[in-house]
């Protein structure tokens, strides 16, 4: 019985050691950083937002449809 316990102990130690060595050989993967996006400011209120989220009209960027409509009506006056 004593030899069976010693064999089990050595097996567990060997298994832990081999797992630790295998994980040390593989370098950790670096997460891909998202690409930086150009920020624009709303022509009506001045809030900065990503260019992909903005609404563009006439060379101006707006944060929402309501501000785009306000900008359009201000140009007509």
């Amino acid at each position: 019985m004593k030899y069976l316990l010693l064999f089990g102990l050595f097996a567990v130690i060997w298994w832990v050691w081999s797992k630790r060595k295998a994980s040390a050989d593989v370098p950790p993967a670096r997460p891909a950083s998202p690409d930086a996006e150009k920020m624009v400011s709303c022509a009506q209120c001045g809030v900065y937002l990503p260019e992909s989220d903005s609404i563009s009209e006439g060379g101006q960027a707006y944060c929402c449809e309501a501000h785009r409509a306000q900008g359009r009506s201000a140009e007509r006056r």
Side-chain angles (χ1 to χ4, degrees), residues 23-72:
S23 66
D25 292 341
V26 178
R30 294 183 66 189
S33 61
D35 293 335
E37 189 172 346
K38 183 180 176 187
M39 300 293 283
V40 294
S41 65
C42 177
Q44 190 67 29
C45 66
V47 169
Y48 281 90
L49 66 154
E51 188 174 30
S52 63
D53 292 343
S54 68
I55 302 169
S56 297
E57 183 176 296
Q60 299 289 328
Y62 299 96
C63 63
C64 62
E65 183 64 33
H67 286 181
R68 186 186 64 79
Q70 288 175 356
R72 188 185 311 153

